Amino acid sequence: MGESPNPVRFAFQPLYSLNTGGVVALEALARPPAGQVRDLLAGALRKGRLVQVDITLAAQAVDEEARHQTLLPLHLNVTACTAAAPAAVFDPLLKALANAGRRPREVVLEIGPPFHGVAQATLREGMQRLTELGFRLAFDGLGRGDLPLDLLASTPVDLVKLDRTLLNRLPDEPAAVAVVEALTHYASRLELRLVATGIEQTEQLTAMRKLGVRIAQGNLFNAARDSGSWTAGALASEAAEQTGPIVASAGTTQRVADFLRPATTLPATATCEEVREVLVDNDAPTGIVGLDEHQRPQWSIDRSRFLIAVTGPYGHALHAKRPAARLADAPHAIRADAGALELLNLVNDADWGRTGDDVVVTDGQGRCLGVVLVNEVVRGVAESKIEEAAALSPLTRLPGSDTIARDVDRRIAGHEAMVVAWLDIDAFKVVNDTVGFAAGDDLIRDIGRALTELVGDLDRLTVSHVGGDDFLLACDVEEIATVANRMLDATWTIEGMTVTVSLATLACGSGSISSYREVSRMLAPLKKRAKEVGGSSWVLGRPGSERVEVLRGLGRHGMAARQRPAS
């Protein structure tokens, strides 16, 4: 198939964390020269070659993605028949991963239909072999295909993807909402991750977040693209441009509100029988919050402890007509604008062992807005830290362009004045050609350390290492002089070779810029201008103006360059 004159191409679609707004993985999607991939697989099934074609496509996807070296987890689609195949069948995929410098644990195999032609016992054995090889597993298309619920409940999957046919009915159809609520509850109990697919409308995204789904993909963020038409660093910024910041809080700082789910409530005067009826009739609620006439929480009931109390010997007779408050706990409450880490500190300081209980989220007047689960917050914070760590440059330990994109878009949304800057090393290729790549890496590390120290000194400075010798920065207007002085006054040497740096800055007034993409487009000619100035240079431009001020650098005769407009 790879030798045919019209080989299969691959498109890649990002998966986004709704906790951090960052790209957490890429899914490889096969694009045959004619028809759709399901037609290709159906033809392979008729010829008895489904498993071979499936594995060949997966291996080719690894080869294609390796050209970009995104270092993101890679999702590959395989059929249930392939997942049940002997381990030797996966040798071509393992070889492709080895050639790409990847390990199986960096790959999620999304197992999809048809399931009806595969014995469940055989599939379970095959999936167990795949986990022993190191792969992570997921079920794809829940809600559309023929995935047996018994299989879902008895196999070692880390992730389940909800099909778009179900999610397209959100948020207007109560039945669809109820199904997703139940699946979210199920996933939380089994510590699985749900992925919402095919998200194309902001209303769907809002519904997903309210229901507790934390990973999403779809055309609302980015459509799947051919491998040659994207760079990993641009994906999150484009998603933010299309949908607004995915996470409302600043940067990657998570807020309690990011984990908010609807609360099941009753009046504070409710009886135990009324609570029991709500819990028995609705399987999803983990608890109930009792509210006074002003919607302020008065008590909180945990589902499991309450049902044990009222269904035990004489429980109904003892409690049914009595106030529910007698079996309730004092509500644990926290403000919606509190940080996720603040919630965890609250739990830790209180020595509170009931981490499965609901925590009531309140507004500024103490009114109930919903609830969060401590275990969800713990998992969400852990996932975001892992995601952030995976995105760090191995050379400088600085984050990539996703971070600067989110910060710039957040400042734009808040109508804040700011400066965005592009810093790079002059004639860096000469450094590598003269003293070697290892020395060049050391120089980049030195620059990274200096910028990291600046982040510690300046409260509003954000720094990203976007690859090679390029760094992007965003800060308040009054901070940019400190950045320029620190970086341009320093003497940068490596192996006895002295180098200079260029700083191109764009000063953006409130409302003068509309997106991170626009900022990056305006910075490109400013960087070129800075490179034209001798020595360590600093140039400044503004949106809507062709004037470029040369604030630091040497002229052609070694004299300090004066400020001058762009030609």
Side-chain angles (χ1 to χ4, degrees):
M1 186 169 53
E3 299 174 356
S4 64
N6 296 306
V8 173
R9 296 180 295 106
F10 289 90
F12 293 85
Q13 186 172 57
L15 283 73
Y16 288 92
S17 167
L18 301 187
N19 290 333
T20 68
V23 180
V24 296
L26 291 174
E27 179 182 359
L29 303 172
R31 295 285 172 81
Q36 297 182 340
V37 69
R38 63 171 174 263
D39 302 321
L40 177 65
L41 295 177
L45 178 61
R46 288 192 297 270
K47 297 177 182 178
R49 300 187 65 249
L50 175 60
V51 172
Q52 294 92 323
V53 170
D54 223 4
I55 292 297
T56 299
L57 289 174
Q60 288 179 345
V62 171
D63 293 339
E64 184 67 23
E65 191 278 337
R67 296 194 295 113
H68 302 279
Q69 298 182 336
T70 67
L71 303 181
L72 291 166
L74 182 62
H75 286 228
L76 302 174
N77 293 288
V78 297
T79 63
C81 184
T82 300
V89 166
F90 288 83
D91 286 348
L93 176 57
L94 294 171
K95 182 179 179 181
L97 290 171
N99 291 338
R102 280 186 175 271
R103 300 177 182 179
R105 69 186 181 193
E106 300 170 27
V107 172
V108 178
L109 296 179
E110 295 188 10
I111 303 171
F115 290 90
H116 63 271
V118 184
Q120 287 195 27
T122 304
L123 180 54
R124 289 192 187 95
E125 292 172 1
M127 294 175 67
Q128 183 61 42
R129 287 193 295 271
L130 292 175
T131 60
E132 290 171 359
L133 288 173
F135 292 106
R136 291 185 293 158
L137 304 180
F139 280 133
D140 190 17
L142 181 61
R144 172 182 54 86
D146 56 345
L147 172 62
L149 291 180
D150 179 59
L151 191 64
L152 176 64
S154 60
T155 47
V157 294
D158 299 310
L159 182 146
V160 176
K161 300 184 78 171
L162 303 179
D163 187 71
R164 68 178 66 217
T165 55
L166 171 64
L167 303 182
N168 284 345
R169 297 162 59 190
L170 298 175
D172 298 325
E173 297 189 26
V177 172
V179 170
V180 178
E181 278 183 339
L183 289 172
T184 305
H185 181 66
Y186 166 81
S188 176
R189 289 292 179 90
L190 271 69
E191 298 187 349
L192 303 176
R193 292 186 294 169
L194 285 184
V195 179
T197 65
I199 300 298
E200 297 185 350
Q201 301 175 6
T202 54
E203 293 81 5
Q204 292 174 317
L205 176 61
T206 300
M208 285 297 95
R209 295 189 63 190
K210 287 183 178 179
L211 292 170
V213 178
R214 298 302 174 205
I215 304 176
Q217 66 182 126
N219 292 342
L220 179 66
F221 311 105
N222 282 104
R225 313 180 183 198
D226 290 345
S227 62
S229 63
W230 54 266
T231 58
L235 293 172
S237 61
E238 293 186 19
E241 182 176 342
Q242 295 172 33
T243 66
I246 297 174
V247 180
S249 53
T252 58
T253 302
Q254 294 168 289
R255 298 288 173 183
V256 168
D258 296 333
F259 301 91
L260 189 65
R261 57 167 60 193
T264 302
T265 64
L266 284 173
T269 56
T271 65
C272 290
E273 178 63 17
E274 291 172 322
V275 171
R276 189 192 70 83
E277 289 176 355
V278 171
L279 292 177
V280 171
D281 292 343
N282 301 274
D283 183 59
T286 55
I288 293 179
V289 181
L291 305 179
D292 65 15
E293 64 274 18
H294 302 294
Q295 301 299 300
R296 293 175 299 203
Q298 301 300 304
W299 47 257
S300 176
I301 281 178
D302 173 74
R303 176 190 185 89
S304 299
R305 291 197 301 274
F306 179 87
L307 291 178
I308 289 173
V310 299
T311 57
Y314 312 108
H316 187 270
L318 286 172
H319 303 297
K321 302 301 181 182
R322 303 292 182 86
R326 64 187 281 126
L327 295 180
D329 299 303
H332 290 275
I334 194 164
R335 303 182 323 278
D337 61 350
L341 293 178
E342 186 177 340
L343 170 62
L344 300 184
N345 289 334
L346 171 69
V347 173
N348 183 63
D349 292 343
D351 192 26
W352 181 35
R354 298 195 301 271
T355 56
D357 287 12
D358 296 343
V359 179
V360 183
V361 181
T362 59
D363 63 12
Q365 286 71 49
R367 295 171 298 196
C368 175
L369 297 176
V371 295
V372 295
L373 296 179
V374 175
N375 56 4
E376 283 191 358
V377 177
V378 170
R379 186 163 62 249
V381 170
E383 288 175 356
S384 70
K385 295 302 181 186
I386 292 171
E387 292 160 11
E388 290 171 15
L392 296 180
S393 162
L395 270 182
T396 61
R397 309 307 296 166
L398 289 171
S401 59
D402 287 1
T403 295
I404 205 78
R406 288 195 298 270
D407 187 43
V408 169
D409 282 324
R410 178 188 60 79
R411 293 174 190 254
I412 291 171
H415 303 285
E416 299 178 23
M418 63 178 162
V419 175
V420 187
W422 190 339
L423 176 77
D424 76 333
I425 302 168
D426 297 327
F428 183 65
K429 184 177 185 301
V430 176
V431 175
N432 283 337
D433 291 346
T434 304
V435 294
F437 291 104
D441 287 348
D442 287 341
L443 178 59
I444 291 173
R445 290 190 188 96
D446 290 343
I447 298 283
R449 278 192 288 269
L451 291 172
T452 300
E453 292 176 2
L454 271 169
V455 170
D457 295 339
L458 300 175
D459 294 336
R460 301 275 293 166
L461 173 64
T462 302
V463 175
S464 289
H465 182 189
V466 296
D469 61 324
D470 291 314
F471 299 85
L472 290 178
L473 305 85
C475 62
D476 285 353
V477 175
E478 58 270 20
E479 293 177 329
I480 190 59
T482 301
V483 173
N485 291 336
R486 187 84 63 89
M487 301 307 297
L488 301 183
D489 288 345
T491 300
W492 302 106
T493 60
I494 190 71
E495 300 285 345
M497 183 178 183
T498 300
V499 299
T500 57
V501 296
S502 298
L503 182 67
T505 54
L506 184 69
C508 306
S510 174
S512 65
I513 205 82
S514 62
S515 69
Y516 171 73
R517 176 178 286 275
E518 188 178 357
V519 168
S520 63
R521 185 170 60 248
M522 292 183 178
L523 271 175
L526 290 174
K527 176 189 176 183
K528 182 179 179 181
R529 182 59 180 275
K531 289 288 194 181
E532 295 171 351
V533 179
S536 288
S537 60
W538 174 19
V539 303
L540 175 69
R542 291 178 174 81
S545 173
E546 295 185 359
R547 178 181 174 81
V548 178
E549 298 179 60
V550 180
L551 304 179
R552 293 280 294 269
L554 300 175
R556 293 181 179 177
H557 302 291
M559 303 296 291
R562 291 185 289 179
Q563 296 180 12
R564 50 195 170 93
S567 56

